[in-house]
Amino acid sequence: MTPSNTTNTVGEPSTPRQSTQQAIELILLRQWASYIKTPIWITSADGYLLFFNEPAEQIIGIRFGESGPMPVNELVSRFEIRDEYGAPIEAQALPLAVAVAQRKPAHSRLRVRAVGGEYVPIAVTAFPIEGQGGRFLGAVAMFWEDRKA
Amino acid sequence: MKAVLWGTRGSLGSASAETVVYGGDTSSVELVTSRGTILVLDAGSGVRRLGAAVPADVKRVDLLLTHLHMDHIQGLGFFGPMYNPNIETHVWGPASTNATLRTRLSRYLSPPLFPVCVRDLPNVFFHDVMPGTFEIDDATITADFICHPDPTLGYRIEADGASIAYMPDHEPALGAELPYRPDPEWTSGYCIARGVDVLIHDAQYTEAEYLTHVGWGHSSMRQTTAFATLAEVGQLVSFHHDPSHSDSMLEEIAEKISTDENLRFKFFPGKEGVEFHVGRCC
């Protein structure tokens, strides 16, 4: 009897994709985000902003349908972002940047001067998206208005 | 490449006088390349007769499972080649986060659910498949996770200058606005189906049935044709018919699709026992 039932794994994780279709995990995440009232950003593994939902549009001041995907840094540069005490904060310290670069969850209280011109206190929680087989697919950031900040 | 549909029914076997044309066996498709490579797509109840038809002198059979729902594996214990020590049987299926394919299949292939254990099978090899491309003899297989509850793969098989995509359980329209107008970048399974000669795809529900089964992992006929149009396939084979759908009902649905003047591909309904050829043939 041949030693049977050996197991191996095929198919190398390949992210970000070179093809024109996103991973199923991101597709489902985007669909879910489109139903959620909480503002959400979704980025690819290389920090490219793939999607933000309608509640996020109200913070950003632009519609995703108009802007489309863009480098997340390009979007962030449109705002003045400070820490919860009003001090400047480096872009790489923002929760989404941490989730992408360090592949770990991050949370911060921030003040953001957005479309309206006044600083808005927000809380941001970001986490990495790891798909089947440990494929790193990107990150998600969720935002809350945070009057305690 | 030759293809034979040994089982086209979805969810549950449905043998009756009302299903003799489309068949009652669950998902199983045989592909044979011009060099004799045998690929078996899913092990629904149709795989029993498929296995019985495998020539005695075959040395290897590759069985590609899309996922482990019962209607896709229930024929596994009755697949003759797995009991033949002279045949290498390679079982390929979706990787999961917490157990190997072998371990997960062992839940079914072990008492009290089944009298034979995986360890009793003489010459079987298991392969946990992640999204990517791999070769089986002269066939190139591309696998990707697609939208269906629990890890589920769609397969694209390329051989003999032709391509076939197999997605028997697939709900690309989940969460989309209806009527479904897909966008390639955000459509599950697009890369698997893009430009294939033949797409074998889930068409379980009528439009009305889909509305009460959103999230169950299946498609309506119209969603399937929209997906096939987006992917610019050459031919569409409807598959995974609902167990409650009779031959007459399926013929009526097929007639509506076939007479659609806007259809950009050939359509034929998946009927058990149908054989077709694409590209060079054996």
Side-chain angles (χ1 to χ4, degrees):
Chain A
M1 184 179 289
T2 307
S4 64
N5 305 329
T6 58
T7 295
N8 66 350
T9 300
V10 299
E12 289 299 314
S14 54
T15 54
R17 292 179 174 219
Q18 302 302 310
S19 60
T20 56
Q21 184 210 309
Q22 302 295 342
I24 185 65
E25 294 91 337
L26 293 179
I27 291 173
L28 294 173
L29 187 58
R30 173 179 168 153
Q31 288 173 335
W32 174 72
S34 69
Y35 285 89
I36 297 298
K37 186 180 177 185
T38 309
I40 295 174
W41 293 8
I42 302 172
T43 72
S44 65
D46 56 356
Y48 206 82
L49 185 64
L50 295 174
F51 178 71
F52 49 88
N53 62 2
E54 282 190 30
E57 290 176 348
Q58 293 172 9
I59 295 176
I60 298 166
I62 53 174
R63 292 185 60 247
F64 181 75
E66 295 168 356
S67 70
M70 67 177 79
V72 72
N73 288 340
E74 182 180 320
L75 185 59
V76 169
S77 67
R78 300 182 181 196
F79 309 101
E80 282 185 40
I81 304 177
R82 297 180 179 272
D83 68 15
E84 62 181 311
Y85 307 107
I89 185 169
E90 295 291 330
Q92 61 266 30
L94 295 172
L96 189 58
V98 172
V100 171
Q102 301 179 37
R103 303 187 185 185
K104 66 178 188 182
H107 177 85
S108 289
R109 284 175 162 174
L110 303 168
R111 293 169 185 261
V112 176
R113 184 149 75 177
V115 187
E118 63 173 305
Y119 278 100
V120 177
I122 61 170
V124 182
T125 296
F127 55 90
I129 307 162
E130 190 172 314
Q132 292 277 332
R135 294 172 302 139
F136 179 60
L137 301 170
V140 174
M142 306 178 78
F143 303 81
W144 291 265
E145 193 170 342
D146 182 19
R147 288 296 169 192
K148 293 179 182 176
Chain B
M1 186 161 39
K2 179 181 80 173
V4 184
L5 308 181
W6 290 94
T8 63
R9 192 62 58 171
S11 303
L12 183 69
S14 182
S16 75
E18 286 76 40
T19 59
V20 291
V21 176
Y22 281 77
D25 274 325
T26 62
S27 301
S28 197
V29 174
E30 179 185 21
L31 304 180
V32 184
T33 71
S34 59
R35 277 173 40 183
T37 302
I38 298 176
L39 303 176
V40 178
L41 307 176
D42 278 333
S45 60
V47 85
R48 186 190 65 79
R49 289 189 300 129
L50 189 166
V54 170
D57 60 346
V58 162
K59 298 299 180 193
R60 171 174 172 152
V61 172
D62 288 83
L63 172 54
L64 283 70
L65 302 174
T66 55
H67 63 305
L68 308 191
H69 287 167
M70 277 304 292
D71 54 324
H72 295 258
I73 65 167
Q74 63 195 157
L76 204 55
F78 302 89
F79 185 52
M82 290 184 75
Y83 296 89
N84 186 340
N86 298 318
I87 298 178
E88 264 188 26
T89 302
H90 290 258
V91 182
W92 310 74
S96 103
T97 53
N98 55 8
T100 64
L101 178 66
R102 181 187 187 280
T103 297
R104 285 176 289 141
L105 286 174
S106 294
R107 293 174 189 162
Y108 162 44
L109 293 175
S110 62
L113 296 181
F114 199 73
V116 181
C117 293
V118 169
R119 64 173 179 272
D120 299 327
L121 302 171
N123 205 2
V124 180
F125 303 85
F126 294 91
H127 307 268
D128 290 80
V129 179
M130 286 296 301
T133 299
F134 55 98
E135 312 283 335
I136 298 176
D137 198 4
D138 57 333
T140 300
I141 319 294
T142 301
D144 198 7
F145 288 119
I146 59 175
C147 186
H148 188 69
D150 305 317
T152 300
L153 294 169
Y155 289 111
R156 180 188 182 104
I157 301 97
E158 294 170 282
D160 298 326
S163 53
I164 294 177
Y166 178 68
M167 286 182 268
D169 294 47
H170 187 209
E171 188 182 4
L174 179 63
E177 289 182 10
L178 297 174
Y180 175 48
R181 296 187 189 88
D183 165 5
E185 183 181 4
W186 293 97
T187 297
S188 162
Y190 174 73
C191 280
I192 292 294
R194 181 176 49 197
V196 290
D197 296 301
V198 177
L199 168 64
I200 301 172
H201 195 278
D202 186 334
Q204 177 145 349
Y205 300 132
T206 64
E207 306 315 303
E209 287 169 340
Y210 178 76
L211 296 177
T212 55
H213 294 82
V214 173
W216 289 41
H218 299 290
S219 294
S220 72
M221 193 66 236
R222 287 292 175 195
Q223 290 165 358
T224 294
T225 56
F227 178 76
T229 301
L230 176 82
E232 299 181 315
V233 307
Q235 295 184 62
L236 169 66
V237 178
S238 59
F239 202 78
H240 208 271
H241 309 301
D242 192 90
S244 69
H245 289 183
S246 66
D247 289 332
S248 59
M249 184 177 178
L250 289 169
E251 290 290 12
E252 191 177 319
I253 293 170
E255 176 69 16
K256 281 182 186 172
I257 300 301
S258 301
T259 55
D260 183 346
E261 293 177 352
N262 296 319
L263 223 56
R264 299 181 198 162
F265 46 82
K266 294 178 183 173
F267 168 76
F268 65 94
K271 296 179 181 177
E272 193 173 302
V274 162
E275 177 179 323
F276 58 89
H277 300 81
V278 285
R280 294 188 304 279
C281 202
C282 31

